[in-house]
Structures are given as C-alpha cells and as structure tokens.
C-alpha cells in the first residue's frame, strides 16, 4: 500500500515536470538549460521527431468526444550513461527543446534532481505562473460591475 | 478530354520569380517578420490555424507571409504541410470547464458565477479608424485587478440542475475522423462538428445567418461564450500514463435554443455547440447555430427544406480548400475541352440555320 502511494507520488511528480516542459516557452527553456551547464552524455533511443496529435473536444463541453484539429508536437527518448531513460513530448517543432526536455526528464530521476529543479524547473515554473497571473489580472479588470440606475418614480 | 501539352516552363519560372518580388513589395519599407505576423496579426493567425486544422502559431504566421495575406491560400499551405506530419495519436478531450478564461460572457444570465468578463474585445469600440495606429508609439499597459483563482463553471450547468435543458449524453466513443475516412451521410454529430470547426468562416457565418433570418429558425441565445487556454493531455504509451503535452487557446460558444418539444423530446431548451482553435468568436457562434440547425433529426424536428438543415449541402460546401481547388481549376488550360465545345456549338448553329439568317440580315 505504502509503496503504491510512493509510485503514485513519483508518477504525479513526473507528470508535473513533463507537463511544465511541454508548455515551456522555447527561448526561456533554452536559456535556463544553458545555465545548468553540464550536459550529460546520452544515447538516443528515438531521435527528435516532429509530428501531430489530434486534439479532441467534447460536444457541449461535457458530452461525447469529437476531433477538433491537430497540433504540432516534437518527441524524443534517450538514455543517460547510467541507463536512466528520459522522454519528451513537447508542443511545437523545436527539436532542441525536445532534447533538453528529455535530458531534464532523465536527470530528474537521478541524484541531480535537486540541482535541476533549482536551476531550471523552479525558475521556469515561476516565470510561467507570473505570466499567467498577469493575464488573469488583466482579464479580471474587464469584469463588468452592474449597477441599477435610480428610477424617478418616487 | 485531356491531352498532355508541354510548354510554358520559362513563363512559369519567371512568374514565380516576380511573385517573390511582389510579395516583398517596396524594399524601402521594412520586411515583415514571421514573429510580427504572429504577434500583431494574431486573429488572422488564429483563422489560419482553425481552418488549416493545425494549431501552430509560427507555421500559420509563415503561411500568411508566404501567401501575401491571402488567408485561404495560407490555409491551403497549412493543410498541405499537415499531411506530411506523422500522427502520434489523439489527446484526451480538452476540459473547457477548466479553461483559464481571458473572456467569458453570457447573454442569458447577468449574474452568472464568474461574472461577465469582457477580455480584449472589439465589442463596444466605436469602429472609427484610429489614426494613432498609423504612427509608432508605446501602448500603455492594460489595467489589472485581483484575479479569480477558481475555475469558471459552464453556464449550462445551472440550467441542467432544473432539467430544463437537454443533456449531452456522456460517452467515450472514439469519434469519426474526416481526415482519415471520407465523409458519408447521414454524418454523426462528431464528424459534423469536426467539419464545422475547420470550415470556412464566411460560409459558416452565412449559413448561421440564414437560420436567424428564418430558414429553419431556431431562436438562439448565446448562453455562454468563452475564450482562453486549456491544457492538452495525452496518454503516452512508453510512460503508461497521461501527461500535458501543451496548451491551446480556444473559443467555445454554447447556444441555448427555444424548443417547444417534438414527437420524441419534451419541451426544454436545446443546445448548439461551437469550439474553435484560437480567438475566433464569430466563427464559434456561427458554428453553434449551424450545429443546432443540423440536429433536427436527432431532436425529432421537421425538415423544413432549409439549406442550413441539409447536412450534405452544409458539410460538402464548407471546406474552403476543397471549394477553392475545384473553383480555381477552371482557370487552368482547358484548350481541348473548349475546342470540342466550340465545334459543337458551331454545328448546332449550322443546324439551326442561325448563321444563314445572320448573314442575310447583314446583307
């Protein structure tokens, strides 16, 4: 039971960083990854490949699925010298972004995780959260406040 | 009849060279970058992504540049490109109830939870040309307020509590894909929605307008219109679980339509649905109206003979790439076809004696 929970937590953590890397702005990820410096040695399991995935929606937002249209995605897989496997599925067509994401995914499963989180993932996440927050704040400023005009009957 | 003829290679090459030069325009004016198109002509980019049926703002911007701003030509380029991409799979259906909304309005409930949020809209502008934009200048930053942290519920949820609006049947059935199987009629609502969301904005708009003017009238309210971003999740076989592989901006429109009931359905409100890539609200509203008109069969309504109810008519003519391909091919050489027509008409005229009469009249 306890080990299942541990697996669940490890999976949730991996989902979280892979999702962050997939959505990351390319230029920002490149900059932070260069800041990390030491690119570990690795072998390709699958070289970066650009493709499409079919994005689905639901009828009425909640009903049966339908095909909305495709989006571009780049994927790759690699193994570090110690055998750790890293995968990447990232939005867009940037192969360098996919390579960095797969290396980060692999490193996050090694003792280098804390350093990678501090140098790459945390700043990436806070930057993306701040951009999202700014947009939400601008949206909130366009919320309508209704008021009732005083009528002249009494 | 088709006879292969050679010739014109040099003319074609020279025409394309001149096209490249004309595309660039006056070289004393700075060249437009793809990033400028992506950022500053974002709604054109959105239309190209929606109708090109491929979400990639940089590619759509490049296509617009290459097509000299001809959006249907740009959509054509995107459609051609997407056929070269391997398909990695299909995503989980996006959860629009979890959308981070830039804009969210309802024409039916003033005090909906989450409020009426206008977002960066053209609504309520005066539609007067702004000559300040002709000069370069800094744009002041937009005002901010405290954002909501919780997600914005769908408006139709409130009506569903009362059972006064038709429910969307829950299903996880694999939807049909018109990019893989040719369309056949009658088409399921899944394929109709896929066809409408990538259909030509002008065509869908015209069809929707026809329903408002009384052809298969189905008085629609915009129950909700929302624009924002949603996460896209996909199961990754090599991982054994789903991850977010990106996020897309979408426009969603739900209409609430009067419905007096039919042979099979009780009186209740019915729904039309529009979901389109990007900030594309005219298209999403139009899509919802046409979706509702096409649902007459499943709601037990009568076919009134209106074009917007006729799915074969709507779905076969909504695709601007199919339409433009067939329309524009008639400008390509048809010399031999025309030669035979010419012979035929001359023969018919001879038989009718038209030329003799004309000659006599001239004399």
């Amino acid at each position: 039971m306890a080990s299942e929970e541990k697996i669940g937590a490890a999976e949730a953590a991996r989902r979280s960083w892979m999702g962050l890397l997939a959505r990351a702005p390319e230029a920002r990820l490149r900059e932070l990854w260069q800041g990390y410096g030491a690119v570990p040695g690795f072998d390709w399991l699958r070289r970066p490949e650009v493709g499409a995935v079919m994005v689905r929606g639901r009828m009425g937002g909640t009903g049966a699925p339908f095909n909305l249209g495709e989006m571009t995605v780049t994927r790759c897989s690699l193994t570090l010298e110690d055998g750790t496997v890293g995968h990447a599925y990232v939005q867009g067509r940037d192969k360098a972004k996919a390579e960095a994401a797969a290396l980060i995914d692999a490193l996050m499963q090694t003792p280098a995780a804390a350093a990678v989180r501090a140098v790459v993932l945390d700043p990436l996440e806070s930057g993306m959260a701040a951009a999202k927050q700014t947009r939400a704040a601008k949206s909130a400023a366009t919320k309508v406040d209704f008021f009732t005009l005083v009528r002249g009957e009494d | 009849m088709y006879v292969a003829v050679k010739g014109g290679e040099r003319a074609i090459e020279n025409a394309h060279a001149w096209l490249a030069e004309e595309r660039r325009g006056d070289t004393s004016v700075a060249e437009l970058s793809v990033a400028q198109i992506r950022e500053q002509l974002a709604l054109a980019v959105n239309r190209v992504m929606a109708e090109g049926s491929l979400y990639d703002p940089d590619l759509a911007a490049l296509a617009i540049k290459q097509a000299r701003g001809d959006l249907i030509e740009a959509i054509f380029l995107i459609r051609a490109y997407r056929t070269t991409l391997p398909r990695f799979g299909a995503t989980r259906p996006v959860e629009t109830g979890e959308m981070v909304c830039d804009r969210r309005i309802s024409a039916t409930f003033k005090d909906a939870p989450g409020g009426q949020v206008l977002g960066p809209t053209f609504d309520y502008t005066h539609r007067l040309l702004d000559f300040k934009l002709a000069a370069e200048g800094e744009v002041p930053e937009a005002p901010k307020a405290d954002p909501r942290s919780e997600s914005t519920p769908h408006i139709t949820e409130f009506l569903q509590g009362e059972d006064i609006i038709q429910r969307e049947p829950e299903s996880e059935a694999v939807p049909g894909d018109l990019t893989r199987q040719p369309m056949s009629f009658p088409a399921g609502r899944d394929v109709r929605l896929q066809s409408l969301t990538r259909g030509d904005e002008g065509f869908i708009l015209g069809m929707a307008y026809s329903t408002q003017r009384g052809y298969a009238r189905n008085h629609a309210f915009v129950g909700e219109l929302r624009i924002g971003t949603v996460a896209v999740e996909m199961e990754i076989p090599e991982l054994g679980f789903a991850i977010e592989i990106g996020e897309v901006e979408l426009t969603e429109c739900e209409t609430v339509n009067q419905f007096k009931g039919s042979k099979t359905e009780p009186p209740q409100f019915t729904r039309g649905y529009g979901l389109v890539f990007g900030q594309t609200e005219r298209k999403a509203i139009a899509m919802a109206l046409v979706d509702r008109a096409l649902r007459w069969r499943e709601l037990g309504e009568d076919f009134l003979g209106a074009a917007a109810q006729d799915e074969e008519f709507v779905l076969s003519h909504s695709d601007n790439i199919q339409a433009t391909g067939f329309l524009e091919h008639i400008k390509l050489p048809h010399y031999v076809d025309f030669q035979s027509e010419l012979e035929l008409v001359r023969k018919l005229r001879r038989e009718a004696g038209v030329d003799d009469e004309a000659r006599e009249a001239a004399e």
Side-chain angles (χ1 to χ4, degrees), chain B residues 143-290:
Chain B
K144 293 181 196 156
D146 282 340
R148 282 164 59 85
S149 50
E150 65 271 38
S151 58
T152 310
H154 274 128
I155 302 276
T156 41
E157 275 177 30
F158 309 118
L159 288 171
Q160 247 163 15
E162 258 186 276
D163 234 2
I164 202 167
I165 190 162
Q166 157 258 328
R167 282 178 188 277
E168 291 293 349
E170 284 177 26
S171 162
E172 295 303 331
V174 175
D177 183 353
L178 59 81
T179 68
R180 295 296 162 101
Q181 302 104 22
M183 199 138 45
S184 63
F185 302 105
R189 192 178 177 209
D190 51 349
V191 173
R192 297 200 304 253
L193 290 170
Q194 183 184 11
S195 174
L196 293 175
T197 193
R198 75 211 295 265
D200 182 75
E201 178 175 313
F203 180 83
I204 307 290
L205 170 65
M207 281 290 126
Y209 182 44
S210 75
T211 70
Q212 292 185 295
R213 288 192 64 251
Y215 292 88
R217 186 168 185 77
N218 56 55
H219 190 86
F221 294 100
V222 171
E224 178 166 4
L225 179 71
R226 54 169 66 194
I227 302 175
T229 51
V230 294
V232 179
E233 282 193 14
M234 188 167 81
E235 296 281 346
I236 306 297
E238 48 269 46
L239 292 173
F241 53 85
I243 60 164
E244 284 180 19
I245 55 166
E247 65 183 8
V248 292
E249 185 185 33
L250 297 176
T251 303
E252 182 184 49
C253 176
E254 284 208 84
T255 57
V256 176
N257 300 63
Q258 238 176 48
F259 185 61
K260 295 191 179 74
S262 69
K263 280 159 255 161
T264 57
E265 301 293 322
Q268 59 179 180
F269 290 106
T270 56
R271 308 153 67 135
Y273 189 63
L275 186 67
V276 186
F277 279 154
Q279 184 179 335
T280 42
E281 72 180 45
R282 183 184 305 114
K283 170 74 175 287
I285 299 169
M287 175 176 170
L289 264 60
V290 178

Side-chain angles (χ1 to χ4, degrees), chain A residues 11 14-15 18-20 22-23 26 46 49-75 77 87-93 105 132-144 146, chain B residues 53-56 58-59 81-82 86-91 93-94 100-102 110 116-119 141 143-147 168-169 171-173 175-177 189-190 193-194 197 234 236 238-239 241-242 244-247 250 252 254 271 273 275 277:
Chain A
E11 188 180 300
R14 195 168 180 198
R15 280 169 51 100
M18 289 188 81
L20 182 73
R23 288 181 283 112
E26 287 147 18
R46 175 160 60 202
E49 177 188 18
V50 178
V53 302
M54 177 55 88
V55 180
R56 289 184 175 152
R58 288 189 184 281
M59 301 175 190
T62 55
F66 69 96
N67 289 311
L68 181 63
E70 289 165 300
M71 67 179 248
T72 51
V73 171
T74 304
R75 68 177 176 186
S77 301
H87 296 293
Y89 273 79
V90 299
Q91 185 165 17
R93 290 165 291 113
D105 177 50
K132 196 171 174 181
Q133 186 72 7
T134 302
R135 222 174 155 82
K138 287 176 186 171
S139 172
T142 68
K143 184 174 167 189
V144 178
F146 290 103
Chain B
S53 202
L54 184 67
Y55 195 97
D56 188 316
D58 287 301
L59 273 184
Y81 176 83
R82 70 149 281 283
R87 170 94 55 95
F88 294 162
T91 72
V94 292
V100 180
C101 297
D102 284 351
K110 178 167 78 66
Q116 307 279 345
V117 178
L118 301 181
E141 204 183 357
K144 293 181 196 156
D146 282 340
E168 291 293 349
S171 162
E172 295 303 331
D177 183 353
R189 192 178 177 209
D190 51 349
L193 290 170
Q194 183 184 11
T197 193
M234 188 167 81
I236 306 297
E238 48 269 46
L239 292 173
F241 53 85
E244 284 180 19
I245 55 166
E247 65 183 8
L250 297 176
E252 182 184 49
E254 284 208 84
R271 308 153 67 135
Y273 189 63
L275 186 67
F277 279 154

